[in-house]
Amino acid sequence: MLPKRIALPIFASDPLSSVTYATQEILLILTLGGLAFLSLAPWVGLAVVVLLTVVVLSYRQVVQAYPSGGGSYEVASRNLGRPAGLVVAGALMVDYILTVAVSVAAGVDNIISALPDLNPYRVAINLGFVVLLTAMNLRGVRESGRAFAVPTYAFVVGVLVMIAVGLGRAIFGDAPVAESAGWHIHAEQTGLPALAVLFLVLRAFSSGCTALTGAEAISNGVPAFRRPKGLNAARTMTAMGVLSIVMFAGITVLALITNVHYTESACDLAGFPGNCATDAQRTVIAQIAAAVFGGDHTVAFYYMQAAAALILVLAANTAYNGFPLLASILAQDRYLPRQLHTRGDRLAFSNGIVLLAAVAGALIYAFDGSATRLIQLYIIGVFTSFTLCQAGMVRHWNRELAGATEPAQRRRMHWGRLINAFGACFTGVVLVVVLITKFTHGAYLVVIAIPVLCAMMRSIRRHYERVRAQLVIAGDEPETLPSRVHALVLVATLHKPTLRALSFARATRPDTLTALTVNIDDEETRALQRDWELHDIPVPLKVIESPYREITRPVVGHVKSLRKSSPRDVVCVYIPEYVVGRWWENLLHNQSALRLKGRLLFVPGVMVTSVPWQLDSSSRRARPRVEHTPGEIRRGITAGSPVRQASEVRVPGAG
């Protein structure tokens, strides 16, 4: 069980790390209209702070009402029905995927801000981090409290110190100045009418709402808290909200004090010193750190960038825990393929981890590792789950109030219902705003993806239900046995694998046994018949003609004719196959057998048996690796030596 000081960095690394790019996204949108619109940044930031406060208060109610840790999915499923739960599940899956993509991309942005020469390798570094996180999780590396606590608290302390030093310098008349303060901005839009200004502000607000990503993470981890779980989770939620608000507000204020200028393209900055087509801008938090701590070569600057990059990578790693677990729950409920419910040999949900990494990596590659472009997709899923969760909580309180009689208890429930109702309305309005302002900037992809995911999950569930109905054993259904078993051994050449298949088929004692070959070359067929007679094989050899030199169709046709003549009989087809040890050898062997098995499996009443023949290469692969102790080879002790073999003999009952 986790104490609050350890649970905070474990569950809050995602929302705390969001402050590294939330202010940046607000400034980026406002500068589309020119420098004058930066004066609106405090009001946009204030609206984000109010929204974050409402969400934190709302989820305090969730963690206390649902201490089982189901979070938004459980709340929506229980109170709004399965369809709403599936929408939340689809939104959360999209959210987890984008958490990996956005967090890794933002982390790499901060690395490049400290080491600009790495910019040409941005995408490769992004994908490298995804591969690293995937490999760690596939090997079962689990985060410990200390592993999360140290980087998270290092980042929080760094940001708070930066805010204190920057504000202190400003108060005492030595306001820090960002490197971009003297650069002018080429506004994309000028002379905007009032409606366009409103749209620009709303778009900036929706971009700033990235500060709320991951705010619901604590509600998914309530069971990990110490008792009383709900109360400790609620207090941790409050601490997370206070820290997020303080850091976000402080960074926003410092960005305005230092006069940071940041645009989507460096070519929109007049005075940018490098090549705007190839060089990257420093992130807003990097520019603030350089201005506050006295330059971009100070220890404090590199500390701030390292802490920011590390917490962002840790935030990405939280999705590697959340996504496979959610996919496992959905697979258990038969809304996703059952393979996603299976743990690997390291007790990790390996299939879910690989799926998450593949989709996140594809997004990073498609969007060139740009955090700004990926963020346009990020908010839809977040606020979809927020809104449905809060609406579900209103239904929850209505149901609880119907059975409550004590006045104090009813007052508490009324207060909780009021908070969640306001939260549902507020986040619902924000969801509409985000949809309108970001739809054409990439959010339409998420609008398409979530319904597609929901439809896919419902289809998978219907499929599993149909299969289950087909496989149920009826109480009065008699057990039927086949009248006879006809065995067919497919033969192309008379060699050792063929003899093994014939011997195996004879050992099963079928009612009839026939060797079957397809005549695609008259000379080879006659040679096979001569060899068959020469070796006196006690199994009749039947030759079927193939005018188009095809193997699969004549064999399938012959099997079907046997089934048609005796519908109550069973046909068992034995196919000799090579077992190889190198992957490329599979391309050279067994291709006809694979095609034939694929066709025969669709024929009712037909069983297909593969009879393996191990080639020499397979024995190398199966050979166990021998580990020598120090000095064994020098003393002449090898794997096959008597001394080594004697040392490997275990006495029964010995340890």
Side-chain angles (χ1 to χ4, degrees):
M1 297 297 105
L2 299 174
K4 294 188 290 294
R5 68 178 185 278
I6 300 299
L8 176 66
I10 289 178
F11 295 113
S13 59
D14 186 10
L16 293 177
S17 68
S18 301
V19 303
T20 60
Y21 48 78
T23 299
Q24 177 174 297
E25 294 304 311
I26 293 175
L27 300 182
L28 186 148
I29 298 301
L30 290 177
T31 54
L32 294 176
L35 289 176
F37 287 94
L38 291 178
S39 60
L40 299 173
W43 301 104
V44 176
L46 179 61
V48 173
V49 168
V50 172
L51 178 61
L52 181 55
T53 303
V54 171
V55 170
V56 169
L57 291 175
S58 299
Y59 271 92
R60 276 178 55 89
Q61 310 301 315
V62 174
V63 298
Q64 294 184 77
Y66 289 90
S68 58
S72 300
Y73 175 63
E74 181 181 3
V75 173
S77 297
R78 286 193 180 185
N79 299 289
L80 302 178
R82 278 294 182 181
L86 286 182
V87 173
V88 170
L92 287 174
M93 291 174 70
V94 171
D95 187 20
Y96 282 131
I97 292 169
L98 288 170
T99 293
V100 175
V102 171
S103 296
V104 169
V108 172
D109 281 350
N110 283 279
I111 293 174
I112 292 174
S113 294
L115 304 170
D117 291 341
L118 296 178
N119 188 48
Y121 313 105
R122 176 186 299 272
V123 176
I125 297 173
N126 272 280
L127 295 177
F129 273 117
V130 173
V131 171
L132 176 63
L133 289 170
T134 304
M136 290 173 56
N137 283 276
L138 286 176
R139 289 187 60 82
V141 177
R142 290 299 183 205
E143 73 279 2
S144 65
R146 183 172 299 177
F148 263 64
V150 173
T152 303
Y153 283 126
F155 172 75
V156 171
V157 170
V159 171
L160 294 179
V161 169
M162 182 179 71
I163 293 172
V165 173
L167 293 179
R169 287 181 57 182
I171 292 172
F172 290 104
D174 182 27
V177 180
E179 65 178 18
S180 60
W183 305 345
H184 298 288
I185 294 176
H186 300 302
E188 292 188 11
Q189 304 290 336
T190 57
L192 296 175
L195 186 61
V197 172
L198 176 62
F199 185 83
L200 185 68
V201 172
L202 290 176
R203 187 179 166 194
F205 168 71
S206 62
S207 294
C209 288
T210 52
L212 281 76
T213 55
E216 81 288 352
I218 292 176
S219 68
N220 297 322
V222 181
F225 283 81
R226 285 180 176 174
R227 297 180 184 276
K229 297 178 183 292
L231 181 60
N232 285 330
R235 289 173 176 172
T236 306
M237 178 75 72
T238 301
M240 180 272 293
V242 170
L243 285 174
S244 296
I245 289 171
V246 170
M247 290 193 296
F248 169 72
I251 291 173
T252 302
V253 170
L254 283 182
L256 297 175
I257 291 175
T258 58
N259 203 17
V260 172
H261 295 162
Y262 192 89
T263 60
E264 186 171 0
S265 172
C267 293
D268 292 330
L269 292 169
F272 182 75
N275 184 340
C276 67
T278 57
D279 296 341
Q281 305 171 73
R282 280 199 172 99
T283 60
V284 167
I285 196 170
Q287 293 189 46
I288 294 173
V292 169
F293 295 128
D296 56 4
H297 293 289
T298 61
V299 174
F301 169 79
Y302 284 112
Y303 169 88
M304 194 66 250
Q305 294 311 108
L310 190 55
I311 194 175
L312 284 163
V313 172
L314 288 179
N317 192 60
T318 59
Y320 276 91
N321 297 320
F323 180 91
L325 181 59
L326 175 62
S328 172
I329 293 172
L330 291 169
Q332 188 175 13
D333 293 340
R334 291 178 172 80
Y335 285 109
L336 285 179
R338 296 288 290 175
Q339 293 89 332
L340 294 173
H341 183 58
T342 305
R343 292 181 183 268
D345 56 357
R346 299 278 181 162
L347 298 182
F349 294 110
S350 305
N351 294 325
I353 291 170
V354 172
L355 177 62
L356 171 65
V359 180
L363 284 174
I364 288 173
Y365 183 81
F367 286 82
D368 300 321
S370 171
T372 296
R373 293 172 59 193
L374 287 166
I375 283 172
Q376 308 303 318
L377 286 65
Y378 201 4
I379 311 300
I380 302 294
V382 174
F383 279 93
T384 299
S385 61
F386 282 175
T387 304
L388 290 175
C389 178
Q390 301 314 308
M393 285 300 297
V394 174
R395 293 283 297 272
H396 166 80
W397 292 126
N398 288 339
R399 188 172 57 253
E400 293 294 315
L401 279 167
T405 56
E406 297 181 6
Q409 187 181 24
R410 289 183 64 85
R411 282 196 299 271
R412 182 180 62 82
M413 291 179 179
H414 278 296
W415 175 246
R417 184 175 64 175
L418 178 62
I419 291 175
N420 290 128
F422 182 72
C425 294
F426 201 170
T427 55
V429 170
V430 173
L431 177 59
V432 173
V433 170
V434 171
L435 278 171
I436 294 173
T437 57
K438 292 188 173 295
F439 187 83
T440 59
H441 298 276
Y444 70 92
L445 294 173
V446 179
V447 174
I448 296 172
I450 293 177
V452 168
L453 277 174
C454 293
M456 180 192 72
M457 288 188 285
R458 290 175 67 89
S459 298
I460 291 173
R461 175 64 181 260
R462 286 195 297 268
H463 168 77
Y464 279 128
E465 289 176 346
R466 286 196 300 268
V467 171
R468 175 183 287 184
Q470 294 175 27
L471 301 182
V472 169
I473 301 175
D476 57 347
E477 183 176 347
E479 182 180 358
T480 57
L481 295 176
S483 300
R484 293 184 302 171
V485 176
H486 302 283
L488 296 176
V489 179
L490 299 187
V491 177
T493 306
L494 186 58
H495 47 27
K496 292 179 179 179
T498 301
L499 294 178
R500 174 177 290 184
L502 289 168
S503 299
F504 187 85
R506 292 175 65 192
T508 62
R509 300 186 182 278
D511 293 284
T512 64
L513 174 59
T514 305
L516 188 68
T517 188
V518 180
N519 181 19
I520 56 175
D521 185 283
D522 292 338
E523 185 176 343
E524 291 183 359
T525 302
R526 285 193 294 270
L528 174 62
Q529 291 172 324
R530 286 194 299 271
D531 291 341
W532 204 266
E533 294 177 358
L534 178 64
H535 289 84
D536 194 22
I537 306 297
V539 176
L541 176 65
K542 181 178 179 60
V543 179
I544 55 177
E545 298 297 329
S546 177
Y548 300 104
R549 304 173 64 85
E550 184 186 4
I551 297 176
T552 303
R553 189 175 300 177
V555 172
V556 173
H558 179 73
V559 171
K560 286 183 177 180
S561 67
L562 289 176
R563 286 282 301 150
K564 186 176 181 180
S565 61
S566 302
R568 295 183 58 187
D569 294 353
V570 169
V571 179
C572 185
V573 181
Y574 295 87
I575 303 178
E577 289 190 38
Y578 300 130
V579 178
V580 298
R582 303 179 182 90
W583 66 268
W584 53 265
E585 289 180 300
N586 285 306
L587 303 176
L588 306 178
H589 304 285
N590 302 325
Q591 297 303 309
S592 297
L594 288 174
R595 288 194 298 270
L596 188 56
K597 282 196 295 185
R599 291 286 301 276
L600 289 174
L601 289 175
F602 287 93
V603 182
V606 175
M607 295 179 292
V608 181
T609 301
S610 296
V611 182
W613 180 270
Q614 292 78 12
L615 298 179
D616 290 342
S617 61
S618 66
S619 62
R620 296 192 192 98
R621 183 172 180 176
R623 187 179 301 151
R625 181 180 178 181
V626 178
E627 299 288 348
H628 292 285
T629 59
E632 278 189 345
I633 297 178
R634 176 170 49 82
R635 296 194 300 270
I637 301 175
T638 61
S641 67
V643 176
R644 177 79 184 196
Q645 292 173 354
S647 67
E648 293 175 351
V649 175
R650 294 180 58 86
V651 179

